[in-house]
Every structure is written in structure tokens, then in C-alpha cells.
Amino acid sequence: MKSGSVAPLIAATSPGEPEPAGTLARARAFAEPLLTGESLESGENTLAHADAVAAILRQLGSSETMQAAAYLVYTCAHLNKPLEVIGKAFGDNFAALAVETTQLMRVQLQAREAQV
């Protein structure tokens, strides 16, 4: 898959696509061993943060696909080849969503740091 391609991101979040059963629980179970004991730069526990993001997405009425992606995004930093690993476990659309979102988060952090 080409980096920067929007089509996989749309496919991963499309409301017309049937959601695989148990994806949210599988994503959290996948993330838990990677994120347990890890902290964000703010000092917040990474798994607790991912739980909170998923809860906010649920309250906003987002799909379980988006909620699952909230966990997968934070696993990218702990995987040597996140696109391949997440792709094998959850499919290419989830992998693209997680990796592309991680890249956006890095850009946001760099922008914040540049303002200091």
C-alpha cells in the first residue's frame, strides 16, 4: 500500500462496511501487553489513555472500528514493522489507519515543539 493513500483510511472507517465481530476486544488485547507500564510524554499511562480515547469515540457514536484503532495507534511505537504486524493481525485497512494516524500525531508533536 502506498504511504499517504486516503482510500484505505476511508475503507477502514466506512460506515457501510460490516464490522468484524470482536475487533474492539481483540485490539485492546493486542495492545495491552505492549502498552502496560508505558507512559506518554505527559506522564499519563498509555493504556489508560487509549481506553479513554476509545470511550470518547464510543460516546461520540463512532464505530467499533474507530474505537479499535485507538488502541492500535499506540502500539505502533512498540512494533518494528507496525504496518506488517497490524496488517497481519487486523488487515491492511486497520494497519494503514494506525500508521497514518501515528504519523499525524508525530507531525502535531513536532509543530508543538517548534512553537516553543
Side-chain angles (χ1 to χ4, degrees):
M1 167 183 358
K2 182 177 138 188
S3 179
S5 175
V6 176
L9 303 180
I10 293 170
T13 60
S14 172
E17 294 291 317
E19 294 190 18
T23 301
L24 178 57
R26 285 187 329 114
R28 191 183 189 292
F30 178 86
E32 188 171 9
L34 296 169
L35 303 181
T36 296
E38 296 293 318
S39 296
L40 299 171
E41 288 185 23
S42 65
E44 182 180 8
N45 177 278
T46 307
L47 185 59
H49 181 80
D51 285 336
V53 171
I56 290 167
L57 289 170
R58 182 176 51 255
Q59 290 171 349
L60 293 174
S62 75
S63 66
E64 282 198 9
T65 299
M66 287 300 295
Q67 295 168 50
Y71 291 103
L72 300 178
V73 164
Y74 292 100
T75 66
C76 289
H78 303 285
L79 300 169
N80 289 329
K81 296 183 178 183
L83 196 60
E84 290 85 0
V85 173
I86 295 171
K88 186 173 182 177
F90 294 92
D92 291 341
N93 291 338
F94 272 102
L97 181 60
V99 170
E100 296 289 334
T101 302
T102 300
Q103 290 172 349
L104 288 172
M105 290 167 53
R106 283 188 200 131
V107 168
Q108 181 183 29
L109 178 62
Q110 290 172 349
R112 259 192 253 132
E113 290 173 349
Q115 292 176 350
V116 174

